[in-house]
């Protein structure tokens, strides 16, 4: 697991008495504490019991809440597509659920370097607490990359292509002075902490090896309660790795964090008809392959009454909600990315996908459905976090240059949310530029509060 050691950005973090939230992450308020005076002992005859001080009520609830800072990045371009770098803090207006917010932090990063950084004002000093002064830092890096290699969902035959893509990332995207980390989900065993050493990219590229399942590995394996068990297990390993890494990125403040997601995508119910045919044939049933994309199988002896195509659809309880399950897990990953103010850029190293390999006997309709579903999962991860999905194209150089431009020029705006309602989980954000000109703004339009920590009821 990758640990994000980012102490160099301590100056961008909030003071210890202030909880910070990136991209809308909000720490739950401290639960109310009930203060009950202890039962006094029986007073001695010569010494009367001390009276209750005036104004103090026994059993009074003390409610404490945290002060949360919401930060979001925004890219402003003019009609010619050029980044507008002359905006100030007063030129922006931020609205949360239609209510105007007061900006307290403002960061301008242009060309990968920080040109303006207005930190949040310190909170009032709490009596009885002595805090050490914060140490300033002269680190002005504005580009932070986290590269995730999902080798559990990369084809082994594309290993050479994946390594070439990785070298292009090191050449076209990550430059001198950029901080980056690399982590993998599978047997490539890559875990490089945040570093400036450009040589670590070549080191990781030489270790990458695709370990994804082939169509035959999916079809020929007996199914479990929710389809092929290996499908969901691998996806859960990948999502868990991404989720934990994004949580660690919450430590980085006032920076645009780019999460480069290299994967073939996900499909919880691939090649359904082919799997049904293979399962029926293992049980001695005969199947009719005349209709593409359908499994028309009969029991031995030609009894058409037991055809798998005539089965009551409500009797199928194994994997009917695969699409909904995948959407729910993707949504949770994107919510955590928005809380960490991280933008996901997904890259499918397969490029422009054609047909299956010649040694894989897959129906073309099912193959196209599989490709479309896996690419849609990558598109979802990117679009819900303000990123770009590089799918179904072979020109990776052009895509990497676009990512390079988006991560080099941006603003980061921060405000304290005026909405104290913890039940309002999803908050909509609208950003305006109060100038008499037309600008194209790209920013995150909403964020979701972090769920409260689970309490042990046992």
């Amino acid at each position: 697991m990758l640990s994000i050691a980012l102490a160099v950005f301590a100056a961008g973090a909030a003071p210890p008495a202030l909880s910070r939230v990136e991209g809308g992450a909000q720490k739950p308020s401290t639960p109310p504490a009930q203060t009950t005076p202890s039962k006094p002992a029986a007073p001695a005859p010569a010494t009367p019991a001390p009276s209750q001080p005036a104004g103090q009520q026994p059993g009074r609830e003390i409610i404490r809440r945290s002060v949360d800072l919401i930060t979001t990045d925004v890219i402003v371009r003019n009609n010619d597509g050029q980044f507008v770098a002359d905006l100030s803090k007063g030129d922006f207006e931020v609205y949360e659920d239609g209510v105007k917010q007061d900006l307290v932090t403002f960061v301008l990063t242009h060309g990968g370097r920080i040109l303006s950084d207005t930190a949040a004002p310190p909170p009032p000093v709490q009596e009885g607490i002595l805090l050490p002064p914060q140490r300033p830092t002269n680190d002005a890096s504005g580009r932070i990359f986290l590269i995730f290699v999902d080798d559990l969902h990369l084809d082994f035959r594309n290993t050479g292509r994946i390594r070439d893509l990785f070298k292009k990332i090191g050449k076209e995207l990550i430059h001198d002075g950029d901080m980056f980390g690399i982590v993998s989900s599978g047997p490539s065993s890559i875990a490089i902490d945040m570093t400036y050493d450009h040589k670590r990219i070549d080191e990781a590229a030489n270790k990458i090896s695709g370990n994804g399942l082939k169509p035959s590995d999916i079809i020929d394996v007996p199914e479990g309660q929710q389809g092929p068990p290996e499908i969901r297990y691998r996806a859960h390993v990948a999502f868990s790795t991404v989720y934990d890494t994004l949580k660690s990125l919450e430590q980085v403040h006032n920076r645009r964090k780019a999460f480069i997601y290299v994967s073939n995508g996900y499909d919880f119910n691939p090649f359904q008809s082919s799997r049904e045919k293979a399962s029926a044939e293992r049980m001695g049933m005969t199947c009719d392959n005349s209709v593409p994309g359908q499994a028309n199988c009969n029991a031995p002896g030609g009894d058409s009454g037991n055809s798998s195509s005539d089965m009551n659809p409500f009797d199928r309880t194994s994997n009917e909600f695969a699409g909904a399950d995948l959407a729910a897990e993707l949504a949770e990953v994107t919510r955590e990315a928005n809380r960490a103010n991280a933008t996901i850029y997904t890259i499918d190293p397969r490029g422009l996908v054609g047909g299956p390999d010649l040694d894989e006997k897959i129906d073309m309709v099912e193959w196209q459905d599989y490709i479309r579903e896996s690419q849609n999962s990558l598109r979802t991860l990117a679009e819900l976090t303000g990123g770009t999905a590089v799918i179904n194209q072979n020109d990776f150089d052009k895509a990497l240059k676009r990512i390079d431009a988006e991560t080099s020029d941006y603003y980061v705006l921060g405000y304290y949310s005026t909405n104290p309602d913890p039940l309002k989980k999803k908050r909509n954000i609208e950003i305006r530029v109060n100038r008499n000109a037309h600008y194209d703004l790209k920013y995150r339009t909403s964020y979701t509060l972090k769920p409260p920590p689970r309490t042990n009821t046992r």
Side-chain angles (χ1 to χ4, degrees):
M1 188 60 60
L2 181 67
S3 61
I4 311 297
L6 294 166
V8 296
F9 291 96
L18 177 66
S19 65
R20 262 181 111 86
V21 180
E22 288 291 333
Q26 185 176 20
K27 295 186 179 180
S29 304
T30 306
Q34 182 76 22
T35 58
T36 305
S38 59
K39 184 177 180 181
T47 305
S51 60
Q52 187 75 13
Q56 181 176 355
Q57 301 177 3
R60 182 180 180 183
E61 291 185 350
I62 300 177
I63 301 177
R64 303 181 180 94
R65 66 179 302 271
S66 60
V67 181
D68 302 319
L69 181 67
I70 313 300
T71 62
T72 182
D73 49 69
V74 55
I75 300 175
V76 184
R77 301 189 184 277
N78 56 24
N79 293 330
D80 297 329
Q82 302 296 324
F83 179 73
V84 181
D86 60 345
L87 300 178
S88 63
K89 178 181 176 181
D91 293 327
F92 287 95
E93 294 180 353
V94 179
Y95 295 84
E96 181 178 293
D97 293 330
V99 180
K100 187 177 180 179
Q101 308 293 318
D102 295 330
L103 290 180
V104 295
T105 64
F106 175 81
V107 177
L108 166 61
T109 301
H110 188 38
R113 308 301 294 178
I114 297 177
L115 302 181
S116 176
D117 191 346
T118 303
V125 179
Q126 299 182 13
E127 297 182 359
I129 300 180
L130 298 178
L131 299 175
Q134 285 193 305
R135 299 178 60 183
T137 177
N138 57 1
D139 194 314
S141 173
R143 291 164 55 99
I144 299 176
F145 295 94
L146 201 294
I147 306 175
F148 174 64
V149 183
D150 188 12
D151 49 353
L152 289 177
H153 296 87
L154 294 174
D155 298 333
F156 174 76
R157 297 181 181 181
N158 288 337
T159 297
R161 185 184 183 92
I162 299 169
R163 293 180 177 180
D164 292 340
L165 170 62
F166 219 75
K167 293 178 180 178
K168 290 182 179 180
I169 292 176
K171 179 181 179 181
E172 300 289 344
L173 184 59
I174 300 179
H175 308 301
D176 292 338
D178 292 339
M179 177 176 283
F180 66 91
I182 308 173
V183 64
S184 66
S185 62
S188 296
S189 301
I190 303 174
I192 299 178
D193 290 338
M194 303 302 288
T195 180
Y196 294 99
D197 189 0
H198 207 272
K199 297 181 181 179
R200 303 300 299 273
I201 300 178
D202 296 332
E203 174 188 333
N206 295 329
K207 297 177 62 177
I208 295 177
S209 178
N211 194 51
L213 296 175
K214 298 185 296 183
S216 57
D217 297 333
I218 300 174
I219 296 173
D220 297 337
V221 175
E223 298 195 14
Q225 180 69 19
Q226 295 180 323
E230 187 72 11
I231 294 291
R232 299 212 179 197
Y233 170 75
R234 288 169 173 253
H236 291 165
V237 171
F239 292 154
S240 177
T241 304
V242 172
Y243 190 86
D244 293 340
T245 306
L246 289 172
K247 287 181 68 68
S248 62
L249 281 179
E250 294 182 13
Q251 305 172 18
V252 186
H253 309 297
N254 288 336
R255 301 294 183 271
R256 181 177 174 87
K257 290 153 280 188
F259 196 97
I260 310 301
Y261 200 119
V262 183
S263 175
N264 286 358
Y266 309 94
D267 184 2
F268 279 2
N269 193 25
F271 315 119
Q272 180 179 0
S273 298
S274 297
R275 297 195 335 260
E276 291 180 0
K277 292 178 182 179
S279 178
E281 291 174 354
R282 285 194 294 267
M283 294 185 295
M285 302 176 65
T286 59
C287 299
D288 181 14
N289 298 325
S290 60
V291 181
Q294 294 185 10
N296 299 320
C297 302
N298 300 321
D303 184 5
S304 60
N306 294 329
S307 173
S308 61
S309 61
D310 297 334
M311 183 181 299
N312 187 342
F314 300 104
D315 292 338
R316 301 180 181 180
T317 59
S318 59
N319 206 25
E320 290 302 304
F321 301 101
D325 294 341
L326 177 58
E329 298 190 19
L330 292 175
E332 185 57 37
V333 172
T334 58
R335 281 193 289 266
E336 179 56 38
N338 288 331
R339 286 192 289 263
N341 198 23
T343 304
I344 298 179
Y345 295 92
T346 54
I347 302 179
D348 185 354
R350 296 174 296 184
L352 188 60
V353 182
D357 295 332
L358 296 178
D359 58 344
E360 297 288 350
K361 298 179 180 180
I362 300 297
D363 181 76
M364 185 57 66
V365 175
E366 288 190 296
W367 173 257
Q368 294 175 351
D369 292 341
Y370 167 71
I371 296 299
R372 182 174 58 254
E373 183 69 19
S374 59
Q375 291 179 346
N376 285 341
S377 65
L378 297 177
R379 187 179 291 108
T380 299
L381 289 171
E383 292 181 352
L384 294 183
T385 57
T388 303
V390 183
I391 58 177
N392 226 12
Q393 58 178 293
N394 295 326
D395 191 358
F396 294 115
D397 292 336
K398 180 179 179 181
L400 292 176
K401 290 179 180 178
R402 177 181 177 181
I403 298 175
D404 183 36
E406 291 187 0
T407 55
S408 298
D409 305 318
Y410 60 90
Y411 295 91
V412 178
L413 310 178
Y415 65 93
Y416 295 118
S417 176
T418 58
N419 187 354
D421 186 6
L423 300 180
K424 179 67 175 178
K425 298 297 184 181
K426 184 177 180 180
R427 313 284 180 88
N428 297 318
I429 299 176
E430 181 183 2
I431 301 178
R432 304 174 187 173
V433 177
N434 52 9
R435 280 190 180 182
N436 294 327
H438 176 72
Y439 295 121
D440 181 22
L441 277 65
K442 183 177 181 181
Y443 59 91
R444 198 169 283 106
T445 59
S446 65
Y447 71 92
T448 306
L449 299 184
K450 182 182 296 185
R454 295 181 179 179
T455 56
N456 189 5
T457 58
R458 298 169 58 183

